[in-house]
Amino acid sequence: EIYYMIKYFVGLILAIIIGYFVWPYVHIYQLNSAVADNDQAALDGLVDFEAVNRVYQKDFEWSMSNTDPQDKSLLPDVVREGANAVVGAVGNLVAQTTKIDANDMLKRLHKHEGSVWQQLTFAFFESPTRFTIRLGELGRSPIHLQMTLQDWRWRVTAIYD
């Protein structure tokens, strides 16, 4: 009798572990269906656009503040610092006014030929609550999506293209 209880318990634990590892792929399937159908309402439930825009803004600001000209010797330090300040201010303004919404997300995910499933080349857990997906081949402008487990649901929280 105890043998059957242990066997049942081990089977239950194994089913939970398998379910956990399959769960993000169910989300990818839902994302694939929403993109294929151009369903912006479904995409709203699958993507945390507030988090996506927050990450996009931080990345844009970082890229603007860390862009240096190739040949620094051509410009005096004062001119270069002034130019960097102007580029940074314009970059911050662009980052604050550019928002990724469902329509923009659909355009980005339609950039490559084929469905999301067909473009999926790499997917892995970064941590128990983070899952990263690569759409497209490396060296050919792939899109990276980052999903985070929020309120017991996987949601896209960052897009890097």
Side-chain angles (χ1 to χ4, degrees), residues 5 7 25 28 30 46 59 77 83 87 90 95 107 112 114 117 143:
M5 286 178 47
K7 187 176 176 181
Y25 293 96
I28 295 170
Q30 293 170 338
L46 299 170
D59 286 348
D77 287 341
V87 168
V90 170
K107 286 179 187 174
H112 295 286
W117 273 120
I143 296 173

Side-chain angles (χ1 to χ4, degrees), residues 85-122:
V86 169
V87 168
V90 170
N92 288 340
L93 180 63
V94 170
Q96 290 171 359
T97 58
T98 303
K99 299 291 181 199
I100 297 173
D101 60 5
N103 189 37
D104 187 50
M105 182 70 84
L106 284 170
K107 286 179 187 174
R108 289 170 187 245
L109 294 176
H110 280 297
K111 185 170 84 171
H112 295 286
E113 285 187 34
S115 68
V116 171
W117 273 120
Q118 291 170 330
Q119 292 301 315
L120 183 67
T121 55
F122 196 70

Side-chain angles (χ1 to χ4, degrees), residues 46-80:
L46 299 170
V47 178
D48 181 354
F49 286 106
E50 184 178 317
V52 168
N53 283 305
R54 191 171 45 249
V55 170
Y56 176 76
Q57 182 177 357
K58 284 181 184 177
D59 286 348
F60 195 84
E61 289 171 357
W62 182 88
S63 67
M64 285 291 115
S65 66
N66 290 303
T67 303
D68 279 338
Q70 294 293 331
D71 188 2
K72 296 180 180 183
S73 64
L74 295 177
L75 297 173
D77 287 341
V78 174
V79 173
R80 187 174 48 247

